[in-house]
Amino acid sequence: MNHLLSLETMSVEDMRRVLDLAQHLKANRHDPSYQPLAGQSWAMIFMKASTRTRVSFEVGVQELGGRVLYLNSADTQLGRKEPIRDTARVLGRMVHGAIIRTFAQQDLVDFAHFGKIPVINALTDDEHPCQVLADLLTMIELLGGYENKKVVFMGDGDNNMSKSWMWAAEKLGFDLVICAPPAYQPSAEYLAQFNSGRITCEPDPATAVAEAHVLYTDVWVSMGMEEETKKRLADLAAWQINSPLVKLAAPGAIVMHCLPAYRGQEISEECLEAHADTIFQEAENRLHAQKAILSLIAESR
Ligand code: CP
Ligand code: NVA
């Protein structure tokens, strides 16, 4: 595994290897003899805000023996429009890898090309692969696996999270229902990329969650879309995960949220607190999944 740019481009074998290694690393978190990043420096280029991703990568790289440099747009020349390709050519001569959170997916592709060092997608407008790998790890822990499970992605069905979920369902073999009003469903062109029959759209929440094992949601206003806040909150108001909806899912269904959560919007306060153990286990799993990603990239160099 040389990069993790997206789940779209990640092989099924690498997904499985990440999930297997993540379980091992979680069970052996403080093994001081495992230092695959010893002597390495990794740049973290973050053009958007972050709590979980930043902290889990900083801690993860350090636990694997490496060090990180946190670089944001305000403090680097990227904020003054230095091209990504020039930044990549500089950093590529100095650091061993780059963890990037930005807007355009193409910026990651360009960075990998010009920097010639491993690049990990820490969220773009197109995908959030590290989050979904951590979510799959959580499904393995709580449900015994993801195969043939039914996941309902509720709310904004056309964002970075829903897209990473679609690629995971297509490649790993579980059912994914995108439950969103028509204007917030993925385009027909996007859906045409999938031919497993595992991915469907169902606008009615009660119908969508029937027999579901996982109810999943994300913010209704992704970073960069703040101007649409008022419209989105109104348009998506009926697509909230709440306790009455959970009761319509399969017995023992779990509720997941990538966080940050906006109580009273995509999830009710009561429902979030009732499922907090799952949701914060999911957040912790970012660390373990990403340590596995970093380790497998280091191993292949
Ligand atoms: N879920 C997630 O990526 O959280 P942050 O935006 O806090 O990193
Ligand atoms: N869709 C959200 C995910 C946040 C982790 C966003 O892009 O803001």
Side-chain angles (χ1 to χ4, degrees):
M1 192 164 113
N2 296 318
H3 306 280
L4 172 47
L5 300 181
S6 62
L7 294 191
E8 177 179 355
T9 53
M10 189 177 192
S11 71
V12 180
E13 293 70 32
D14 282 343
M15 288 184 197
R16 294 210 174 101
R17 287 169 72 213
V18 165
L19 294 168
D20 286 347
L21 183 58
Q23 292 173 76
H24 173 79
L25 293 177
K26 185 170 182 176
N28 299 278
R29 178 165 174 194
H30 298 293
D31 175 2
S33 66
Y34 188 67
Q35 301 271 281
L37 300 190
Q40 295 195 9
S41 298
W42 281 65
M44 295 178 54
I45 303 171
F46 275 48
M47 310 296 280
K48 293 177 178 173
S50 170
T51 297
R52 280 146 288 274
T53 309
R54 176 179 177 177
V55 174
S56 53
F57 267 117
E58 289 205 18
V59 172
V61 169
Q62 285 165 20
E63 288 189 2
L64 296 174
R67 67 181 294 261
V68 293
L69 299 87
Y70 179 76
L71 307 168
N72 62 25
S73 58
D75 298 333
T76 61
Q77 299 290 3
L78 282 166
R80 287 160 38 87
K81 306 271 185 265
E82 181 169 17
I84 196 85
R85 63 174 61 184
D86 292 352
T87 307
R89 283 184 281 199
V90 174
L91 295 189
R93 290 161 186 264
M94 298 182 183
V95 301
H96 299 84
I99 298 156
I100 305 178
R101 169 168 286 203
T102 191
F103 297 85
Q105 182 74 21
Q106 187 62 41
D107 283 350
L108 262 64
V109 176
D110 290 347
F111 196 103
H113 177 74
F114 288 102
K116 298 184 172 60
I117 53 173
V119 172
I120 297 175
N121 180 347
L123 181 149
T124 62
D125 290 346
D126 284 13
E127 280 215 35
H128 197 1
C130 295
Q131 178 69 55
V132 171
L133 289 165
D135 297 338
L136 293 166
L137 173 61
T138 312
M139 285 177 68
I140 291 169
E141 292 173 338
L142 296 178
L143 301 175
Y146 45 76
E147 291 92 350
N148 297 317
K149 294 288 189 282
K150 176 178 173 181
V151 177
V152 177
F153 188 95
M154 183 80 61
D156 180 6
D158 190 27
N159 72 7
N160 43 14
M161 282 301 309
S162 68
K163 287 176 177 156
S164 287
W165 270 109
M166 284 186 257
W167 289 108
E170 176 79 0
K171 294 184 179 198
L172 293 173
F174 58 89
D175 294 323
L176 178 72
V177 180
I178 303 291
C179 183
Y184 294 83
Q185 293 175 7
S187 67
E189 188 185 7
Y190 198 83
L191 288 168
Q193 300 175 97
F194 306 110
N195 52 31
S196 65
R198 295 283 196 168
I199 297 149
T200 54
C201 294
E202 167 53 61
D204 178 56
T207 306
V209 303
E211 295 175 30
H213 304 98
V214 178
L215 303 193
Y216 197 99
T217 194
D218 178 18
V219 296
W220 287 343
V221 184
S222 285
M223 290 179 278
M225 314 204 86
E226 289 78 6
E227 282 179 10
E228 296 179 20
T229 299
K230 200 170 162 206
K231 178 169 170 42
R232 286 175 160 265
L233 298 196
D235 289 349
L236 291 165
W239 279 266
Q240 181 190 74
I241 295 186
N242 50 41
S243 297
L245 190 69
V246 178
K247 288 200 178 77
L248 303 177
I254 63 172
V255 172
M256 300 180 75
H257 193 312
C258 57
L259 300 173
Y262 291 88
R263 292 160 167 84
Q265 295 181 19
E266 76 277 359
I267 190 164
S268 69
E269 162 87 33
E270 184 212 354
C271 192
L272 185 136
E273 293 301 337
H275 294 272
D277 286 350
T278 300
I279 290 166
F280 292 100
Q281 181 172 332
E282 182 188 353
E284 178 192 328
N285 281 340
R286 296 293 305 277
L287 172 67
H288 311 299
Q290 289 159 197
K291 282 175 71 179
I293 293 162
L294 290 160
S295 300
L296 291 173
I297 287 176
E299 186 185 279
S300 67
R301 293 193 59 85

